[in-house]
Amino acid sequence: MTKSTRAGLGKVLLCWLLVLSQLSAPAQRLGGQTYTDPRLGYQLTYPSGWQVHPGNQNNTDFYAGESWETAAAVVTFHLRPLPDNRKDLNLLRAGQPDSLWQYVTSLPRARVLSLTEHDAGRAQQLRYEYAYDAPAPAGRTRVIGRRLWRNGYEYCLEYRAADGPADRFRDAGRQLVESLRLIEPGPPSRRTALPAPEGCDDKFYGIAALRIHDDIWEDDCRTIHEFSSLDPAHPPKVHRQVLPFQSYALAKGFDNCLYSVTKAPTNSPEYVYRYNPATRQGEYTRWQLPAQGQGGVWISGATDDRGDLYFSTTDGNLLVRVSPAQNTVATVWSTDPLRRASYFRSLGFAGAGTHANFCFDADRTLYQVYSTDGSLLRIHLDTRQPAPDILPLDGLPERGGYSGILLQNDELGNRRLFLAGPKAIYQVDLEGHEVAKVRRGVYTDLAGCNLFRQPPPPEAAPLPPAVVPWRGRVLDAATLRPLPRAQLRLRPTTARTDTTFAAGTGFRFPARPSQAYALQLRLPGYLALDTVLLAAADPYAHDILLRPLAVGATLELENVQFARGQGELLTSSFPALDSLAALLAQSPGLTIELRGHTDNVGDPEKNVELSQRRVAAVKTYLVKHGVEADRISGIGLGGAEPKASNTQETTRRLNRRVEFRVTGIR
């Protein structure tokens, strides 16, 4: 096979043999509107002119047409929870591609155009395209779809419309399906949580400020609520009245124990109390904090990246560090560093709210929350240098009362900021400055430390697969029935060794990713196929069509092209014409009629003349390559027999073609 032949054929083959199907118009990026559903965790773009039809809470339809009931094309999104016995599985390895293959090939006159699987680690997906005979009135139907599996859910997006060249919505539908992407947060994960690495776990905690006693709300500040960063909106586990004193301050150590100190304004040294949520047991430590100062109260606690515990007083003037590893207590500062900031006067006036509730970031930045409006203040712990500005947050309730702040990693390692507000806990997107309410409740302080958990050593990048299975069937192009007697020969274009095997009811071939293969397909009574396959990077499947050689059968000469508006053949046409000449040489009793067609643009009489000249050019080429002239007749039909709509270029180009009709077989 020559280099020019491979180039001409290879570009129409990527993962499946497009040379076997009708050529579709080149994809054009279509404008559209973005549709986002953060609750279900997906986003897509639907084309201009399409409409949205909401279904139930897990279904949405996008359609083209005047109404959903009479839509010419529909793309349906569906989310469903996986069964409990499959929610933790990698469904690609658990046979989902086989299940889809068996389902599609069981449909009437089904043809698999593509079926490609991809494992992205956290999510897996199948892309597929097939056609089948649906019950009336739908008739022949094309389906283009994607199925993705994440966190114990299946996301499915499918395009459905009538199959055939008249389907003017296919490109738009394919682009809509391809535009689907999964976003956060989405529904809460249903997968069984993996054991946390050694060190700080994913749980975080809050001191409940209030409780109901005898149907009356009263101060609590001794009960601790336990949350999971995987789903902080879920009702917390309650550790009721486990502190021996009322407290505003809570820190979580790397040992997953909680540390607290009394809120009483004693102005005397106070011991730190340790509570173990796993055993529900507590005890005083030997660590003693210094006196708070006149009128001072320990208001907040936090943990840094080294596992040290910190406690701050109400006015921010006293910050104390407890180092469990060294078993020491030290004063970090005794004057609030924010006093050096130009904006401090707007915070520290008489009667203003406190700004001493704090937490740490991984870069040793101390974040404080201004209780009046929830704005954030920042100080670098090592340099004691305050940030030059205040970071406001949009979307928080205007009423003051922000009393706790915590930076925590979610299950994907994304940094999340939680604020304890006047009546609820809020989650803040620091990049987009967006705020979402997590759950109701009043808390004096929040504590967690998984932001500083050391990740496990990275695994070596997986090696690309040595081979990827290519699966398919050989089908009769007219009846779409399998041809088990067909013989396939595959050879890497860089080698000389062939692999020959029978198609059977289905074949499976181990292809090397991105390797080009020369493919030959032979079966008596059918048009031989010689083409090039470029293997995909992932396992995939598609069916191959063989065109029958029966009297009256009309077959298109694909890739036969001419100079625009002229009768001269382009060199890219030679491989297809060489294949036809070889067929005629191998079947001396075969006679054909060449049939030329144009679109309807221009003068009809000139179009007939142009089609006649193109038929003559094809006949001349075949005769020069050894075919007897009397075995070839020809007719130019101009635009009289269109195979697709002439209203737009994407389908009009399908009408510019040359076919041959079998007129005799001996």
CSV table of all heavy atoms in Angstrom, one decimal, residues 174-197:
chain,number,residue,atom,x,y,z
A,174,ARG,N,-24.6,15.7,18.9
A,174,ARG,CA,-23.3,15.1,19.2
A,174,ARG,C,-22.5,16.1,20.1
A,174,ARG,O,-21.8,15.7,21.1
A,174,ARG,CB,-22.5,14.6,18.0
A,174,ARG,CG,-21.2,14.0,18.3
A,174,ARG,CD,-20.4,13.5,17.1
A,174,ARG,NE,-21.0,12.3,16.5
A,174,ARG,CZ,-21.7,12.2,15.4
A,174,ARG,NH1,-21.9,13.3,14.7
A,174,ARG,NH2,-22.2,11.0,15.0
A,175,GLN,N,-22.5,17.3,19.7
A,175,GLN,CA,-21.7,18.3,20.5
A,175,GLN,C,-22.3,18.5,21.8
A,175,GLN,O,-21.6,18.7,22.8
A,175,GLN,CB,-21.7,19.6,19.7
A,175,GLN,CG,-20.8,19.6,18.5
A,175,GLN,CD,-20.7,20.9,17.7
A,175,GLN,OE1,-21.0,21.9,18.3
A,175,GLN,NE2,-20.4,20.9,16.4
A,176,LEU,N,-23.7,18.4,21.9
A,176,LEU,CA,-24.3,18.6,23.3
A,176,LEU,C,-23.9,17.4,24.2
A,176,LEU,O,-23.5,17.6,25.3
A,176,LEU,CB,-25.8,18.6,23.1
A,176,LEU,CG,-26.7,19.0,24.3
A,176,LEU,CD1,-28.1,19.4,23.9
A,176,LEU,CD2,-26.8,17.9,25.3
A,177,VAL,N,-23.9,16.2,23.6
A,177,VAL,CA,-23.5,15.0,24.4
A,177,VAL,C,-22.0,15.2,24.9
A,177,VAL,O,-21.7,14.9,26.0
A,177,VAL,CB,-23.7,13.7,23.6
A,177,VAL,CG1,-23.1,12.6,24.3
A,177,VAL,CG2,-25.2,13.5,23.4
A,178,GLU,N,-21.2,15.6,23.9
A,178,GLU,CA,-19.7,15.8,24.3
A,178,GLU,C,-19.5,16.9,25.3
A,178,GLU,O,-18.5,16.9,25.9
A,178,GLU,CB,-18.9,16.0,23.0
A,178,GLU,CG,-18.7,14.8,22.1
A,178,GLU,CD,-18.0,13.7,22.9
A,178,GLU,OE1,-17.0,14.0,23.5
A,178,GLU,OE2,-18.5,12.5,22.9
A,179,SER,N,-20.4,17.9,25.4
A,179,SER,CA,-20.2,19.0,26.3
A,179,SER,C,-20.4,18.7,27.7
A,179,SER,O,-20.0,19.4,28.6
A,179,SER,CB,-21.1,20.2,25.9
A,179,SER,OG,-22.5,19.9,26.3
A,180,LEU,N,-21.0,17.5,28.0
A,180,LEU,CA,-21.3,17.1,29.4
A,180,LEU,C,-20.0,17.0,30.2
A,180,LEU,O,-19.0,16.4,29.8
A,180,LEU,CB,-22.0,15.8,29.4
A,180,LEU,CG,-22.2,15.2,30.8
A,180,LEU,CD1,-23.2,16.0,31.6
A,180,LEU,CD2,-22.7,13.8,30.7
A,181,ARG,N,-20.0,17.7,31.4
A,181,ARG,CA,-18.9,17.5,32.3
A,181,ARG,C,-19.4,17.5,33.7
A,181,ARG,O,-20.5,18.1,34.0
A,181,ARG,CB,-17.8,18.6,32.1
A,181,ARG,CG,-18.3,20.0,32.6
A,181,ARG,CD,-17.1,21.0,32.3
A,181,ARG,NE,-17.5,22.4,32.8
A,181,ARG,CZ,-17.1,22.8,34.0
A,181,ARG,NH1,-16.4,22.0,34.8
A,181,ARG,NH2,-17.3,24.0,34.4
A,182,LEU,N,-18.7,16.8,34.6
A,182,LEU,CA,-19.2,16.6,36.0
A,182,LEU,C,-18.5,17.8,36.8
A,182,LEU,O,-17.4,18.1,36.6
A,182,LEU,CB,-18.7,15.3,36.5
A,182,LEU,CG,-19.3,14.1,35.8
A,182,LEU,CD1,-18.9,12.8,36.5
A,182,LEU,CD2,-20.8,14.1,35.5
A,183,ILE,N,-19.3,18.4,37.7
A,183,ILE,CA,-18.8,19.5,38.5
A,183,ILE,C,-19.1,19.1,39.9
A,183,ILE,O,-19.8,18.2,40.3
A,183,ILE,CB,-19.5,20.8,38.1
A,183,ILE,CG1,-21.0,20.7,38.3
A,183,ILE,CG2,-19.2,21.2,36.7
A,183,ILE,CD1,-21.8,22.0,38.1
A,184,GLU,N,-18.6,20.0,40.8
A,184,GLU,CA,-18.8,19.8,42.2
A,184,GLU,C,-19.9,20.8,42.7
A,184,GLU,O,-20.1,21.8,42.1
A,184,GLU,CB,-17.5,20.1,43.0
A,184,GLU,CG,-16.4,19.2,42.6
A,184,GLU,CD,-16.6,17.7,42.9
A,184,GLU,OE1,-17.5,17.4,43.8
A,184,GLU,OE2,-16.0,16.9,42.2
A,185,PRO,N,-20.6,20.5,43.8
A,185,PRO,CA,-20.4,19.4,44.6
A,185,PRO,C,-21.1,18.1,44.2
A,185,PRO,O,-20.7,17.0,44.4
A,185,PRO,CB,-21.0,19.9,46.0
A,185,PRO,CG,-22.1,20.8,45.6
A,185,PRO,CD,-21.6,21.5,44.3
A,186,GLY,N,-22.3,18.3,43.5
A,186,GLY,CA,-23.1,17.1,43.1
A,186,GLY,C,-23.7,16.4,44.3
A,186,GLY,O,-23.6,16.9,45.4
A,187,PRO,N,-24.4,15.3,44.1
A,187,PRO,CA,-25.0,14.6,45.2
A,187,PRO,C,-24.0,14.0,46.1
A,187,PRO,O,-22.9,13.7,45.7
A,187,PRO,CB,-25.9,13.5,44.5
A,187,PRO,CG,-25.2,13.3,43.2
A,187,PRO,CD,-24.6,14.6,42.8
A,188,PRO,N,-24.3,13.8,47.4
A,188,PRO,CA,-23.3,13.2,48.3
A,188,PRO,C,-22.9,11.8,47.9
A,188,PRO,O,-23.7,11.0,47.4
A,188,PRO,CB,-24.1,13.2,49.7
A,188,PRO,CG,-25.5,13.2,49.3
A,188,PRO,CD,-25.6,14.0,48.0
A,189,SER,N,-21.6,11.5,48.1
A,189,SER,CA,-21.1,10.2,47.6
A,189,SER,C,-21.8,9.1,48.3
A,189,SER,O,-22.1,9.1,49.5
A,189,SER,CB,-19.6,10.1,47.9
A,189,SER,OG,-19.1,8.9,47.6
A,190,ARG,N,-22.1,8.0,47.6
A,190,ARG,CA,-22.7,6.8,48.1
A,190,ARG,C,-21.7,5.7,48.3
A,190,ARG,O,-22.0,4.6,48.7
A,190,ARG,CB,-23.9,6.3,47.2
A,190,ARG,CG,-25.0,7.3,47.1
A,190,ARG,CD,-26.1,6.8,46.1
A,190,ARG,NE,-26.6,5.5,46.6
A,190,ARG,CZ,-26.4,4.3,46.1
A,190,ARG,NH1,-25.6,4.3,45.0
A,190,ARG,NH2,-26.9,3.2,46.6
A,191,ARG,N,-20.5,6.0,47.9
A,191,ARG,CA,-19.4,4.9,48.0
A,191,ARG,C,-19.0,4.8,49.4
A,191,ARG,O,-18.9,5.7,50.2
A,191,ARG,CB,-18.3,5.3,47.1
A,191,ARG,CG,-18.6,5.5,45.6
A,191,ARG,CD,-17.5,5.5,44.7
A,191,ARG,NE,-16.9,4.1,44.5
A,191,ARG,CZ,-16.0,3.8,43.6
A,191,ARG,NH1,-15.6,4.8,42.8
A,191,ARG,NH2,-15.6,2.6,43.5
A,192,THR,N,-18.6,3.6,49.7
A,192,THR,CA,-18.0,3.3,51.1
A,192,THR,C,-16.7,4.1,51.3
A,192,THR,O,-15.8,4.0,50.4
A,192,THR,CB,-17.8,1.8,51.3
A,192,THR,OG1,-19.0,1.1,51.1
A,192,THR,CG2,-17.3,1.5,52.7
A,193,ALA,N,-16.7,4.9,52.3
A,193,ALA,CA,-15.5,5.7,52.5
A,193,ALA,C,-14.3,4.8,52.8
A,193,ALA,O,-14.3,3.9,53.6
A,193,ALA,CB,-15.7,6.7,53.7
A,194,LEU,N,-13.2,5.2,52.2
A,194,LEU,CA,-11.9,4.4,52.4
A,194,LEU,C,-11.3,4.8,53.8
A,194,LEU,O,-11.5,6.0,54.2
A,194,LEU,CB,-10.9,4.7,51.3
A,194,LEU,CG,-11.3,4.3,49.9
A,194,LEU,CD1,-10.3,4.8,48.9
A,194,LEU,CD2,-11.5,2.8,49.8
A,195,PRO,N,-10.6,4.0,54.4
A,195,PRO,CA,-9.9,4.4,55.7
A,195,PRO,C,-9.0,5.6,55.5
A,195,PRO,O,-8.3,5.6,54.5
A,195,PRO,CB,-9.1,3.1,56.0
A,195,PRO,CG,-9.8,2.0,55.3
A,195,PRO,CD,-10.3,2.6,54.0
A,196,ALA,N,-9.1,6.5,56.4
A,196,ALA,CA,-8.2,7.7,56.3
A,196,ALA,C,-6.8,7.3,56.5
A,196,ALA,O,-6.5,6.4,57.3
A,196,ALA,CB,-8.7,8.7,57.3
A,197,PRO,N,-5.9,8.0,55.8
A,197,PRO,CA,-4.4,7.8,56.1
A,197,PRO,C,-4.1,8.1,57.6
A,197,PRO,O,-4.9,8.7,58.3
A,197,PRO,CB,-3.7,8.8,55.2
A,197,PRO,CG,-4.7,9.1,54.2
A,197,PRO,CD,-6.1,9.0,54.8
